[in-house]
Amino acid sequence: MMAISAIYMGYKVIVLDPDETCPASHVAKQIVAKYDDQQAIAELVEQADILTYEFENVSADALAPYEAKLPQGLDLLRISQNRILEKAFLVEAGIKVAPYIVVNTPEDLEALDLSIKHVVKTATGGYDGHGQVVVEKAADLTAARELSAAHACVAESYVDYLKEISVIVSGNGTAFSVFPTCENQHKNNILDKTIMPARISPYLEKEARQIALTIAEKMKLAGTMCIEMFVTQHDILVNEIAPRPHNSGHATIEACDFSQFDLHIRGVLGQDLPKVVLQSPAIMLQVLGQDMAAAAKFAQDNTSTHLHLYGKIEAKENRKMGHVTVLTDDYTISL
């Protein structure tokens, strides 16, 4: 989708991906190699005027020699790759997060107050609930110790939140555009539905946007970034940062006058950014491998539906295969 936006603007795109059948291979020239393959990265750099990354599990060290061609820079990448660095950055920026401790060894878990529920998360590599252990009682510490013996971790106080929201923000290094706040619903720790705009008060909407702008300004953001947040009874807490377009922002393709992908491309190219306008309320329904038949039927039965399939060859359970966007304020819709 990032490549498609760039192509519509008249640019040529080349991608590096280890999967020769990756979605971007359908629309762009491809170098098939691992993300940390130095020779392949050098080849990519030789052929590209501008570099950008599409997800955070790429090697910052491998990209370091070519940072001059990377408008996003590497600070945001390194921070978002490591929860310990991420928490420290947010706290220093004056952003509220859940109370936490750094867990470098299993012995550090002894500092946990077991009268409070905690979530122990690996500092690197976790996603969609992987690399996490919930600690509610002493018996749960066994699994947490095993996790922390293998990885540096953070142990966060469990947040009893009312809603999870996310704010997509794009920048060109000096100026920033904020998209409407999204409300996210999950199933089995995987995003299932996004509602745009989020059903929150104007006050909370303003606060969430300001948090996103503060982070973007601190990072001198170029491109698109997502900030995931928890709305509690009394506050907004930041959960994590994704330094890229995010699946909670997919509805922007139809619901807004510019998509998160459009502004990512404009941002990394240093172009002026428009103020984003929401043209219609919308919902985005995630299509996982097990949802393919239901999504096809939903699109057939609802002809105003926008069905996006990513072109992944094999549909596996819980693999993100596409999404459905419906321009509506009926937020009860599901596949």
mmCIF file with all atom_site columns, all heavy atoms in Angstrom, residues 178-191:
data_model
loop_
_atom_site.group_PDB
_atom_site.id
_atom_site.type_symbol
_atom_site.label_atom_id
_atom_site.label_alt_id
_atom_site.label_comp_id
_atom_site.label_asym_id
_atom_site.label_entity_id
_atom_site.label_seq_id
_atom_site.pdbx_PDB_ins_code
_atom_site.Cartn_x
_atom_site.Cartn_y
_atom_site.Cartn_z
_atom_site.occupancy
_atom_site.B_iso_or_equiv
_atom_site.pdbx_formal_charge
_atom_site.auth_seq_id
_atom_site.auth_comp_id
_atom_site.auth_asym_id
_atom_site.auth_atom_id
_atom_site.pdbx_PDB_model_num
ATOM 1   N N   . VAL A 1 178 ? -2.127  15.261  11.689 1.00 0.00 ? 178 VAL A N   1
ATOM 2   C CA  . VAL A 1 178 ? -2.674  14.227  12.560 1.00 0.00 ? 178 VAL A CA  1
ATOM 3   C C   . VAL A 1 178 ? -3.978  13.707  11.966 1.00 0.00 ? 178 VAL A C   1
ATOM 4   O O   . VAL A 1 178 ? -4.846  14.484  11.565 1.00 0.00 ? 178 VAL A O   1
ATOM 5   C CB  . VAL A 1 178 ? -2.922  14.771  13.982 1.00 0.00 ? 178 VAL A CB  1
ATOM 6   C CG1 . VAL A 1 178 ? -3.405  13.659  14.902 1.00 0.00 ? 178 VAL A CG1 1
ATOM 7   C CG2 . VAL A 1 178 ? -1.655  15.408  14.542 1.00 0.00 ? 178 VAL A CG2 1
ATOM 8   N N   . PHE A 1 179 ? -4.122  12.396  11.929 1.00 0.00 ? 179 PHE A N   1
ATOM 9   C CA  . PHE A 1 179 ? -5.340  11.762  11.432 1.00 0.00 ? 179 PHE A CA  1
ATOM 10  C C   . PHE A 1 179 ? -6.367  11.642  12.558 1.00 0.00 ? 179 PHE A C   1
ATOM 11  O O   . PHE A 1 179 ? -6.016  11.721  13.743 1.00 0.00 ? 179 PHE A O   1
ATOM 12  C CB  . PHE A 1 179 ? -5.016  10.374  10.876 1.00 0.00 ? 179 PHE A CB  1
ATOM 13  C CG  . PHE A 1 179 ? -4.259  10.400  9.578  1.00 0.00 ? 179 PHE A CG  1
ATOM 14  C CD1 . PHE A 1 179 ? -2.875  10.510  9.563  1.00 0.00 ? 179 PHE A CD1 1
ATOM 15  C CD2 . PHE A 1 179 ? -4.925  10.314  8.361  1.00 0.00 ? 179 PHE A CD2 1
ATOM 16  C CE1 . PHE A 1 179 ? -2.172  10.542  8.372  1.00 0.00 ? 179 PHE A CE1 1
ATOM 17  C CE2 . PHE A 1 179 ? -4.241  10.348  7.170  1.00 0.00 ? 179 PHE A CE2 1
ATOM 18  C CZ  . PHE A 1 179 ? -2.864  10.466  7.160  1.00 0.00 ? 179 PHE A CZ  1
ATOM 19  N N   . PRO A 1 180 ? -7.634  11.425  12.219 1.00 0.00 ? 180 PRO A N   1
ATOM 20  C CA  . PRO A 1 180 ? -8.653  11.226  13.264 1.00 0.00 ? 180 PRO A CA  1
ATOM 21  C C   . PRO A 1 180 ? -8.284  10.055  14.179 1.00 0.00 ? 180 PRO A C   1
ATOM 22  O O   . PRO A 1 180 ? -7.754  9.038   13.710 1.00 0.00 ? 180 PRO A O   1
ATOM 23  C CB  . PRO A 1 180 ? -9.920  10.921  12.457 1.00 0.00 ? 180 PRO A CB  1
ATOM 24  C CG  . PRO A 1 180 ? -9.686  11.539  11.120 1.00 0.00 ? 180 PRO A CG  1
ATOM 25  C CD  . PRO A 1 180 ? -8.216  11.395  10.865 1.00 0.00 ? 180 PRO A CD  1
ATOM 26  N N   . THR A 1 181 ? -8.558  10.201  15.443 1.00 0.00 ? 181 THR A N   1
ATOM 27  C CA  . THR A 1 181 ? -8.242  9.149   16.407 1.00 0.00 ? 181 THR A CA  1
ATOM 28  C C   . THR A 1 181 ? -9.056  7.890   16.121 1.00 0.00 ? 181 THR A C   1
ATOM 29  O O   . THR A 1 181 ? -10.245 7.965   15.798 1.00 0.00 ? 181 THR A O   1
ATOM 30  C CB  . THR A 1 181 ? -8.513  9.640   17.836 1.00 0.00 ? 181 THR A CB  1
ATOM 31  O OG1 . THR A 1 181 ? -7.701  10.790  18.075 1.00 0.00 ? 181 THR A OG1 1
ATOM 32  C CG2 . THR A 1 181 ? -8.194  8.577   18.869 1.00 0.00 ? 181 THR A CG2 1
ATOM 33  N N   . CYS A 1 182 ? -8.397  6.742   16.230 1.00 0.00 ? 182 CYS A N   1
ATOM 34  C CA  . CYS A 1 182 ? -9.024  5.443   15.965 1.00 0.00 ? 182 CYS A CA  1
ATOM 35  C C   . CYS A 1 182 ? -9.324  4.734   17.280 1.00 0.00 ? 182 CYS A C   1
ATOM 36  O O   . CYS A 1 182 ? -8.565  4.855   18.248 1.00 0.00 ? 182 CYS A O   1
ATOM 37  C CB  . CYS A 1 182 ? -8.105  4.547   15.137 1.00 0.00 ? 182 CYS A CB  1
ATOM 38  S SG  . CYS A 1 182 ? -7.471  5.289   13.630 1.00 0.00 ? 182 CYS A SG  1
ATOM 39  N N   . GLU A 1 183 ? -10.397 3.991   17.314 1.00 0.00 ? 183 GLU A N   1
ATOM 40  C CA  . GLU A 1 183 ? -10.744 3.136   18.459 1.00 0.00 ? 183 GLU A CA  1
ATOM 41  C C   . GLU A 1 183 ? -10.554 1.691   18.030 1.00 0.00 ? 183 GLU A C   1
ATOM 42  O O   . GLU A 1 183 ? -11.113 1.254   17.014 1.00 0.00 ? 183 GLU A O   1
ATOM 43  C CB  . GLU A 1 183 ? -12.185 3.375   18.881 1.00 0.00 ? 183 GLU A CB  1
ATOM 44  C CG  . GLU A 1 183 ? -12.662 2.484   20.023 1.00 0.00 ? 183 GLU A CG  1
ATOM 45  C CD  . GLU A 1 183 ? -14.122 2.731   20.358 1.00 0.00 ? 183 GLU A CD  1
ATOM 46  O OE1 . GLU A 1 183 ? -14.648 3.822   20.047 1.00 0.00 ? 183 GLU A OE1 1
ATOM 47  O OE2 . GLU A 1 183 ? -14.759 1.810   20.927 1.00 0.00 ? 183 GLU A OE2 1
ATOM 48  N N   . ASN A 1 184 ? -9.769  0.941   18.789 1.00 0.00 ? 184 ASN A N   1
ATOM 49  C CA  . ASN A 1 184 ? -9.378  -0.406  18.379 1.00 0.00 ? 184 ASN A CA  1
ATOM 50  C C   . ASN A 1 184 ? -9.968  -1.482  19.277 1.00 0.00 ? 184 ASN A C   1
ATOM 51  O O   . ASN A 1 184 ? -9.988  -1.338  20.497 1.00 0.00 ? 184 ASN A O   1
ATOM 52  C CB  . ASN A 1 184 ? -7.848  -0.535  18.393 1.00 0.00 ? 184 ASN A CB  1
ATOM 53  C CG  . ASN A 1 184 ? -7.179  0.512   17.521 1.00 0.00 ? 184 ASN A CG  1
ATOM 54  O OD1 . ASN A 1 184 ? -7.654  0.788   16.418 1.00 0.00 ? 184 ASN A OD1 1
ATOM 55  N ND2 . ASN A 1 184 ? -6.100  1.101   17.996 1.00 0.00 ? 184 ASN A ND2 1
ATOM 56  N N   . GLN A 1 185 ? -10.451 -2.542  18.654 1.00 0.00 ? 185 GLN A N   1
ATOM 57  C CA  . GLN A 1 185 ? -10.971 -3.701  19.372 1.00 0.00 ? 185 GLN A CA  1
ATOM 58  C C   . GLN A 1 185 ? -10.191 -4.933  18.932 1.00 0.00 ? 185 GLN A C   1
ATOM 59  O O   . GLN A 1 185 ? -9.934  -5.118  17.734 1.00 0.00 ? 185 GLN A O   1
ATOM 60  C CB  . GLN A 1 185 ? -12.463 -3.874  19.094 1.00 0.00 ? 185 GLN A CB  1
ATOM 61  C CG  . GLN A 1 185 ? -13.302 -2.691  19.534 1.00 0.00 ? 185 GLN A CG  1
ATOM 62  C CD  . GLN A 1 185 ? -14.764 -2.812  19.176 1.00 0.00 ? 185 GLN A CD  1
ATOM 63  O OE1 . GLN A 1 185 ? -15.198 -3.816  18.600 1.00 0.00 ? 185 GLN A OE1 1
ATOM 64  N NE2 . GLN A 1 185 ? -15.554 -1.794  19.491 1.00 0.00 ? 185 GLN A NE2 1
ATOM 65  N N   . HIS A 1 186 ? -9.817  -5.761  19.897 1.00 0.00 ? 186 HIS A N   1
ATOM 66  C CA  . HIS A 1 186 ? -8.981  -6.919  19.621 1.00 0.00 ? 186 HIS A CA  1
ATOM 67  C C   . HIS A 1 186 ? -9.700  -8.228  19.932 1.00 0.00 ? 186 HIS A C   1
ATOM 68  O O   . HIS A 1 186 ? -10.594 -8.270  20.776 1.00 0.00 ? 186 HIS A O   1
ATOM 69  C CB  . HIS A 1 186 ? -7.695  -6.859  20.450 1.00 0.00 ? 186 HIS A CB  1
ATOM 70  C CG  . HIS A 1 186 ? -6.775  -5.746  20.081 1.00 0.00 ? 186 HIS A CG  1
ATOM 71  N ND1 . HIS A 1 186 ? -7.010  -4.434  20.435 1.00 0.00 ? 186 HIS A ND1 1
ATOM 72  C CD2 . HIS A 1 186 ? -5.614  -5.742  19.378 1.00 0.00 ? 186 HIS A CD2 1
ATOM 73  C CE1 . HIS A 1 186 ? -6.028  -3.676  19.965 1.00 0.00 ? 186 HIS A CE1 1
ATOM 74  N NE2 . HIS A 1 186 ? -5.182  -4.449  19.325 1.00 0.00 ? 186 HIS A NE2 1
ATOM 75  N N   . LYS A 1 187 ? -9.281  -9.281  19.259 1.00 0.00 ? 187 LYS A N   1
ATOM 76  C CA  . LYS A 1 187 ? -9.649  -10.651 19.590 1.00 0.00 ? 187 LYS A CA  1
ATOM 77  C C   . LYS A 1 187 ? -8.373  -11.469 19.659 1.00 0.00 ? 187 LYS A C   1
ATOM 78  O O   . LYS A 1 187 ? -7.569  -11.450 18.729 1.00 0.00 ? 187 LYS A O   1
ATOM 79  C CB  . LYS A 1 187 ? -10.581 -11.247 18.523 1.00 0.00 ? 187 LYS A CB  1
ATOM 80  C CG  . LYS A 1 187 ? -12.013 -10.750 18.568 1.00 0.00 ? 187 LYS A CG  1
ATOM 81  C CD  . LYS A 1 187 ? -12.874 -11.490 17.550 1.00 0.00 ? 187 LYS A CD  1
ATOM 82  C CE  . LYS A 1 187 ? -14.316 -11.000 17.582 1.00 0.00 ? 187 LYS A CE  1
ATOM 83  N NZ  . LYS A 1 187 ? -15.144 -11.703 16.539 1.00 0.00 ? 187 LYS A NZ  1
ATOM 84  N N   . ASN A 1 188 ? -8.184  -12.139 20.786 1.00 0.00 ? 188 ASN A N   1
ATOM 85  C CA  . ASN A 1 188 ? -6.982  -12.968 20.971 1.00 0.00 ? 188 ASN A CA  1
ATOM 86  C C   . ASN A 1 188 ? -5.700  -12.167 20.727 1.00 0.00 ? 188 ASN A C   1
ATOM 87  O O   . ASN A 1 188 ? -4.752  -12.644 20.081 1.00 0.00 ? 188 ASN A O   1
ATOM 88  C CB  . ASN A 1 188 ? -7.020  -14.196 20.059 1.00 0.00 ? 188 ASN A CB  1
ATOM 89  C CG  . ASN A 1 188 ? -8.232  -15.061 20.306 1.00 0.00 ? 188 ASN A CG  1
ATOM 90  O OD1 . ASN A 1 188 ? -8.616  -15.297 21.456 1.00 0.00 ? 188 ASN A OD1 1
ATOM 91  N ND2 . ASN A 1 188 ? -8.862  -15.531 19.236 1.00 0.00 ? 188 ASN A ND2 1
ATOM 92  N N   . ASN A 1 189 ? -5.694  -10.933 21.230 1.00 0.00 ? 189 ASN A N   1
ATOM 93  C CA  . ASN A 1 189 ? -4.526  -10.043 21.145 1.00 0.00 ? 189 ASN A CA  1
ATOM 94  C C   . ASN A 1 189 ? -4.203  -9.583  19.731 1.00 0.00 ? 189 ASN A C   1
ATOM 95  O O   . ASN A 1 189 ? -3.122  -9.042  19.480 1.00 0.00 ? 189 ASN A O   1
ATOM 96  C CB  . ASN A 1 189 ? -3.278  -10.704 21.760 1.00 0.00 ? 189 ASN A CB  1
ATOM 97  C CG  . ASN A 1 189 ? -3.414  -10.928 23.252 1.00 0.00 ? 189 ASN A CG  1
ATOM 98  O OD1 . ASN A 1 189 ? -3.772  -10.011 23.988 1.00 0.00 ? 189 ASN A OD1 1
ATOM 99  N ND2 . ASN A 1 189 ? -3.157  -12.146 23.702 1.00 0.00 ? 189 ASN A ND2 1
ATOM 100 N N   . ILE A 1 190 ? -5.110  -9.791  18.774 1.00 0.00 ? 190 ILE A N   1
ATOM 101 C CA  . ILE A 1 190 ? -4.910  -9.350  17.393 1.00 0.00 ? 190 ILE A CA  1
ATOM 102 C C   . ILE A 1 190 ? -5.994  -8.338  17.044 1.00 0.00 ? 190 ILE A C   1
ATOM 103 O O   . ILE A 1 190 ? -7.167  -8.553  17.358 1.00 0.00 ? 190 ILE A O   1
ATOM 104 C CB  . ILE A 1 190 ? -4.966  -10.540 16.413 1.00 0.00 ? 190 ILE A CB  1
ATOM 105 C CG1 . ILE A 1 190 ? -3.889  -11.580 16.753 1.00 0.00 ? 190 ILE A CG1 1
ATOM 106 C CG2 . ILE A 1 190 ? -4.793  -10.071 14.968 1.00 0.00 ? 190 ILE A CG2 1
ATOM 107 C CD1 . ILE A 1 190 ? -3.989  -12.853 15.938 1.00 0.00 ? 190 ILE A CD1 1
ATOM 108 N N   . LEU A 1 191 ? -5.609  -7.240  16.396 1.00 0.00 ? 191 LEU A N   1
ATOM 109 C CA  . LEU A 1 191 ? -6.593  -6.222  16.032 1.00 0.00 ? 191 LEU A CA  1
ATOM 110 C C   . LEU A 1 191 ? -7.699  -6.841  15.190 1.00 0.00 ? 191 LEU A C   1
ATOM 111 O O   . LEU A 1 191 ? -7.443  -7.515  14.194 1.00 0.00 ? 191 LEU A O   1
ATOM 112 C CB  . LEU A 1 191 ? -5.915  -5.095  15.250 1.00 0.00 ? 191 LEU A CB  1
ATOM 113 C CG  . LEU A 1 191 ? -6.831  -3.927  14.861 1.00 0.00 ? 191 LEU A CG  1
ATOM 114 C CD1 . LEU A 1 191 ? -7.333  -3.190  16.093 1.00 0.00 ? 191 LEU A CD1 1
ATOM 115 C CD2 . LEU A 1 191 ? -6.101  -2.968  13.924 1.00 0.00 ? 191 LEU A CD2 1
#
